[in-house]
Amino acid sequence: MLPSETVDSYEVGVKTALMDRTLFLDGSAFFYQYDNFQTSVQQGTQIITTNAGKAESYGFEGQARWVPSDVLSLYASYGYNHSRFKAGIREGNRFRLSPDHSTALGAILSVPAGPGRVAFSPSITWQSAVFFDDDNDRADLQQPPAALVADNIQDEKQKGYALVNARLGYEAPGGGWRVEAFVENAFDKAYIKDAGNTGDGLGMPTFIAGEPRFYGVSASFRFGGAK
């Protein structure tokens, strides 16, 4: 039986409104310290839980929103997350699916159109590189007997990438109904959202592609009257 995983967590934050409540700023800093961090390792074709020892994570998250008028709203966010193993054979490795940097930028432009409003909402998100396993696809951690077939190439990793999305819609007075066209991953950026998995121990890792460009039209209705 593994010893219990424990974590000491600390967080401090602030929220404020400036410029006659047209500029809103939020931010928080955090620090997590783990003992007996539990993670998964592959032994042959089996996935088992193991004790990776000490680990820590610290960083910052911030958001800003500027609303100069009832027509325009701009927003931005940024996150820094330094998550690393501090002991054992994985010392220095990053946590899985944990980008060091991530950010988002967007706008909402809403103008009167007849009795309702037309809104256009473009946005862009970006994140830095991620690994899909706590072993960070290191060759020295993927040799027999841990794996049936040695993995000597560090390819189960996604480099930093950006995605662009947009929505254009019309909303009836009081928000009773809304129809909009949308596009996600507008520039059809190719990326992977998972890699490795059980087949990795057999020398046949799987690579799961992220969603390609996707577009369509949606409609929504509110029943019971506007509130």
Side-chain angles (χ1 to χ4, degrees), residues 58-75:
Y58 60 84
F60 168 83
E61 296 178 346
Q63 302 86 34
R65 182 167 57 96
W66 183 43
V67 189
S69 70
D70 63 353
V71 171
L72 179 64
S73 176
L74 303 174
Y75 62 88

Side-chain angles (χ1 to χ4, degrees), residues 1 11 54-55 60 66 73 93 106 113 135 140 144 153 157 171 180 187 197 208 219:
M1 179 178 294
E11 185 169 350
K54 294 184 179 295
F60 168 83
W66 183 43
S73 176
N93 280 16
D135 65 18
D140 61 313
I153 302 176
K157 173 185 178 182
E171 185 174 81
E180 65 181 4
F187 295 99
N197 302 305
I208 301 176

